[in-house]
Amino acid sequence: MAMNDFQPRGVTCANGYTGSVAYAVCSSTQTSYSVSGCEGCPFSALGVLDAEDTDTDLKGFRGGFTDGTYGYLVPYHNGAYHGKVARFDLASFSSVAVLDLTSTDADLKGFHGGFTDGTYGYLVPHYNGAYHGKVARFDLASFSVVSVLDLINTDANLRGFVGGFTDGTYGYLVPWNNGAYHGKVARFDLASFSVVSVLDLTSTDPDLKGFHGGFTDGTYGYLVPYDNGAFHGK
């Protein structure tokens, strides 16, 4: 899809790489897992940081990202849907801080993926007991100042995303399931944290729904096919 094409249970691990250290964030609905990092892969000098040593709620994440100084872990489910973002220092692989998004809005929990524009962190709304569409944004410098953008104010179907990305101007959210598999990509303006646009991929092909993750080369956005009622490859 072109970037300007818009109109106004098991264990899950997500991997990351900063250029010198690779990180894996693992979660399960039944078991808590630590963050692990390795200096220069393959896995030599493997270190482990147990976020639960800081706060016992810090488990059950789905994805993460870095601003180059800190790693940020995206809260999903730790026995209950939760909204505690964990931040840790990359240089020391320690110094864990916590930001509880539910202190701003009780619905801000159950995210699946996130990204940064270098100033803010953005978390992708997925499921908090129901499929939801509330994007959470927090200030990286202060690790506070939480804002909310509720996508369903634009379109009631804009909920249940898995993953997202940015081209530096807009944020894009990858459609998965909102009670049914769907193909509505949501785009929002980063500068204003508003102005939501929708691209319904099923208008091109009814099979274009049920994606898991995506990325951009700066010109196009690419969505990763997963399950639209059956595993698919479109």
Side-chain angles (χ1 to χ4, degrees), residues 89-147:
D89 182 70
L90 297 178
S92 65
F93 197 40
S94 62
S95 304
V96 178
V98 186
L99 175 60
D100 188 353
L101 302 173
T102 63
S103 297
T104 298
D105 185 322
D107 290 336
L108 294 182
K109 52 191 175 184
F111 298 92
H112 203 313
F115 55 90
T116 178
D117 60 4
T119 302
Y120 297 99
Y122 300 86
L123 303 188
V124 178
H126 179 60
Y127 191 88
N128 59 11
Y131 292 107
H132 74 105
K134 289 190 175 182
V135 182
R137 183 185 77 171
F138 59 89
D139 180 66
L140 297 178
S142 64
F143 196 44
S144 62
V145 191
V146 178
S147 303

Side-chain angles (χ1 to χ4, degrees), residues 65-98:
F65 56 90
T66 178
D67 60 5
T69 302
Y70 296 101
Y72 300 85
L73 306 183
V74 177
Y76 180 61
H77 191 283
N78 60 12
Y81 297 101
H82 76 105
K84 288 189 174 182
V85 181
R87 184 187 75 175
F88 61 92
D89 182 70
L90 297 178
S92 65
F93 197 40
S94 62
S95 304
V96 178
V98 186

